[in-house]
Amino acid sequence: MPLPPIVVMGVSGCGKSRVGRDLAARLGVTFLEGDVLHPPENVARMAAGIPLTDADRQGWLEAIAGALAQAAGCGEGIVVSCSALRRPYRDLLRAAAPATRFVHLTGSRALLIDRMAAREGHFMPISLLDSQLATLEPPGADEQPIVQNIEQSPAAILDATVEALGIIK
């Protein structure tokens, strides 16, 4: 049975890229860094400390949905990092690839700030974290998310996620 498309989601600083990259490597599938699909205008807005609107995110989410649909259509596994902060965003992604599973990385605001402060060269300023936290609609139980607390080590998050997916790797 092919792997479902997997989206590693959460607010900035939660470790989506690291967990996503490690998960894809463990599963032997493609990893797509969702941030690379943002148009330059979105990156410029965020770098300037301006929160994105739903309209700003629409094209970006559609590009991610397209990548998920293409992988699912070919029976190829894929792991994508994408904030997927609101239910309608996740619904759009699931509409393109209905079997998509979401791995929601959660953590305290203080830990997220610490992680963001330690990053080098990332366009997302700490000043936008509160906007993301306010926008976040955690996945409901009906979405069957795999929720992981980022206070765990990356290895523990990876092992627990693979176990929750029911994959032996």
Side-chain angles (χ1 to χ4, degrees):
M1 184 167 104
L3 290 171
I6 300 166
V7 174
V8 180
M9 63 164 287
V11 298
S12 188
C14 70
K16 295 181 296 291
S17 298
R18 168 133 191 219
V19 170
R21 194 170 19 261
D22 291 352
L23 182 59
R26 168 85 69 93
L27 299 176
V29 301
T30 299
F31 172 67
L32 174 61
E33 170 58 64
D35 283 345
V36 303
L37 298 177
H38 271 297
E41 304 81 45
N42 282 7
V43 174
R45 287 178 63 87
M46 289 183 282
I50 302 168
L52 297 180
T53 65
D54 285 351
D56 295 329
R57 289 184 180 101
Q58 187 66 34
W60 172 66
L61 289 165
E62 289 172 357
I64 291 172
L68 292 169
Q70 180 177 350
C74 296
E76 297 173 359
I78 189 170
V79 176
V80 180
S81 62
C82 171
S83 55
L85 297 175
R86 297 186 59 234
R87 174 93 184 224
Y89 307 165
R90 295 187 298 275
D91 289 346
L92 187 152
L93 300 177
R94 268 192 304 272
T100 299
R101 295 294 309 271
F102 291 89
V103 178
H104 182 200
L105 303 180
T106 65
S108 71
R109 181 179 179 275
L111 179 55
L112 292 163
I113 288 173
D114 287 347
R115 286 180 165 203
M116 290 178 77
R119 294 195 300 200
E120 293 182 15
H122 197 281
F123 61 83
M124 180 69 90
I126 293 172
S127 63
L128 287 182
L129 178 60
D130 287 334
S131 170
Q132 285 206 327
L133 289 169
T135 301
L136 177 64
E137 296 173 4
D142 63 313
E143 295 180 82
Q144 299 181 325
I146 297 168
V147 180
Q148 299 291 345
N149 188 309
I150 62 171
E151 291 185 16
Q152 302 175 82
S153 71
I157 291 171
L158 184 61
D159 289 344
T161 299
V162 170
E163 182 178 330
L165 288 165
I167 300 165
I168 299 174
K169 289 273 182 177

